[in-house]
Amino acid sequence: MRILPFKYVHVTEGLFVKVSRHFMYTDFGIRDNGEMRFTGRRFVMDSTPGSGFIERDSESHSYHQFVRKGLAHQKKPSYWRFLLGKEPSFKREIAAVRRALPDCDTKRRREILECYLNALVIAENQERFSRIIRGIKDKMGHKSNKFLVSIISHYKTKINHLEHDIKSVEFNVKDICTPQTYEAYLAVVDAFVKVAGCRRIWEHNETLHGRPNQVFFDMGVFDFIRSECYLPMLRDSNGVRYFFLPDSVIVARGSLDFDIVPLKTLTVVSQELAIEEPVEVLSSQLGDAASMIKIPEFNLTYYFNHVRPVVEFVNALDRLKETL
């Protein structure tokens, strides 16, 4: 059991640096260097490395609260979370993936987990180098020290090499479909972005006393899967995430606990809600709901306060399915 939240690392001859043992949150492997500098959008990591979502522009106060809650544990390390093993851990996740691989029941699931394992090994090194850099900067303080600066540059060069390496091992959605399907998939992504931007999205979950719950859609990342445009991600009230790939949907309950459902087997339908047609007992709670999406295979029903983006998204999905 680890007690001290730091350790001294021999960096080079005659130099020992105090390095934090707290997990360091980064967006390594999620996107290319410098992208955040241009977009300003933050990556909000889930409980395991390589999964999370990209913060989107929104005027919704509830969405901002949702993002702040997701970022809260990243901003200030907690000794108790460290002591109780509640911080993310590459070693723990790598061991879990290796235990799960022999039980893979489908080719696609094995491919994703094998790529995830390789990405985790590379990301673990990057995270360790980042913590060493942080330790050197803390040692240097506000004083200029060319020797320490050169060591920092050395580790940054190593990280740049790892940036190249992780791209080659990640599962890339562009490699699993034809150019025609990929083009249709990009149209789905564009349509989904508009749906995610709807001011209100509710899910009607009958298991939760029939009460509609506000949920958020985002562009997400699952197990370091690489995509030029990130993955459209739906959420439900039980914390399950649904990631859309060009030919399938990942139903993720966790980084290792997920199902892969072929897109062609799914029924995704939209319906406009007439104002004069109240939705049974939900009308008073849904307020200005104007349309809905049903996915019967997942027992999902979503309500939205817009119509056109919802219809365009479902139509784009239908055109994508026609290419499969």
Side-chain angles (χ1 to χ4, degrees):
M1 181 178 180
R2 300 180 305 173
I3 301 297
L4 295 178
F6 63 88
K7 64 179 178 180
Y8 285 93
V9 175
H10 184 213
V11 176
T12 188
E13 185 176 354
L15 178 63
F16 285 82
V17 174
K18 183 181 178 182
V19 176
S20 170
R21 299 175 74 175
H22 287 287
F23 181 86
M24 178 171 279
Y25 292 87
T26 71
D27 54 9
F28 175 78
I30 303 300
R31 52 187 170 189
D32 298 330
N33 276 334
E35 183 179 332
M36 182 180 176
R37 182 174 52 201
F38 298 111
T39 65
R41 297 180 301 167
R42 294 171 290 184
F43 169 63
V44 184
M45 199 187 96
D46 289 334
S47 57
T48 54
S51 293
F53 67 96
I54 305 297
E55 177 188 22
R56 54 182 167 79
D57 293 331
S58 174
E59 297 180 356
S60 168
H61 177 66
S62 54
Y63 180 71
H64 291 162
Q65 284 184 316
F66 175 73
V67 172
R68 283 196 294 269
K69 183 178 179 181
L71 290 170
H73 61 280
Q74 301 184 21
K75 294 181 178 178
K76 188 176 180 181
S78 165
Y79 177 69
W80 287 111
R81 292 186 76 240
F82 166 82
L83 194 62
L84 297 175
K86 292 186 176 181
E87 289 187 348
S89 167
F90 280 105
K91 288 190 183 337
R92 188 169 60 238
E93 190 70 4
I94 288 172
V97 176
R98 285 175 173 157
R99 289 194 301 268
L101 269 172
D103 298 327
C104 284
D105 52 356
T106 65
K107 179 182 176 182
R108 175 64 59 82
R109 180 180 173 84
R110 172 172 286 277
E111 288 175 343
I112 290 176
L113 285 183
E114 286 177 344
C115 291
Y116 182 43
L117 176 60
N118 293 332
L120 283 171
V121 172
I122 295 174
E124 181 183 27
N125 287 325
Q126 183 275 341
E127 193 253 1
R128 179 166 54 88
F129 293 156
S130 294
R131 286 189 286 109
I132 291 175
I133 290 174
R134 182 71 267 166
I136 296 173
K137 287 182 177 180
D138 291 341
K139 184 179 182 67
M140 186 167 57
H142 297 290
K143 299 178 181 179
S144 177
N145 186 313
K146 291 184 179 179
F147 173 62
L148 294 182
V149 169
S150 67
I151 296 176
I152 290 175
S153 298
H154 171 69
Y155 278 102
K156 285 185 175 180
T157 299
K158 284 188 172 185
I159 290 176
N160 287 336
H161 290 158
L162 293 177
E163 285 275 5
H164 174 76
D165 293 342
I166 198 168
K167 291 179 185 178
S168 65
V169 302
E170 290 177 324
F171 185 90
N172 195 324
V173 300
K174 201 170 185 178
D175 298 334
I176 64 174
C177 61
T178 64
Q180 181 187 12
T181 296
Y182 189 68
E183 184 178 352
Y185 177 66
L186 294 180
V188 169
V189 172
D190 289 340
F192 177 83
V193 169
K194 296 176 183 177
V195 172
C198 289
R199 186 169 52 86
R200 290 286 189 274
I201 303 174
W202 300 269
E203 187 219 353
H204 175 44
N205 190 327
E206 295 181 357
T207 64
L208 298 177
H209 310 292
R211 184 182 182 84
N213 295 273
Q214 185 176 9
V215 294
F216 303 101
F217 292 178
D218 279 295
M219 297 303 296
V221 180
F222 180 71
D223 285 5
F224 281 117
I225 291 177
R226 176 166 285 271
S227 173
E228 295 177 356
C229 49
Y230 303 108
L231 309 178
M233 179 182 68
L234 284 63
R235 296 184 179 91
D236 70 14
S237 306
N238 295 317
V240 180
R241 294 158 297 153
Y242 303 82
F243 297 90
F244 280 76
L245 301 180
D247 61 355
S248 56
V249 175
I250 297 176
V251 183
R253 294 168 291 275
S255 60
L256 306 180
D257 181 14
F258 62 91
D259 300 319
I260 302 174
V261 181
L263 190 59
K264 289 190 71 172
T265 66
L266 294 181
T267 305
V268 184
V269 295
S270 63
Q271 179 182 339
E272 182 176 355
L273 303 177
I275 297 178
E276 64 273 10
E277 295 180 7
V279 187
E280 300 177 357
V281 297
L282 301 180
S283 58
S284 61
Q285 298 169 339
L286 291 175
D288 55 354
S291 63
M292 65 185 292
I293 283 180
K294 275 185 173 289
I295 310 178
E297 290 81 2
F298 297 151
N299 195 28
L300 290 175
T301 303
Y302 293 105
Y303 294 91
F304 307 84
N305 66 329
H306 292 84
V307 176
R308 181 178 294 177
V310 173
V311 173
E312 291 178 350
F313 170 63
V314 173
N315 289 340
L317 270 177
D318 288 339
R319 289 191 291 270
L320 172 60
K321 289 164 68 174
E322 290 173 0
T323 67
L324 300 175

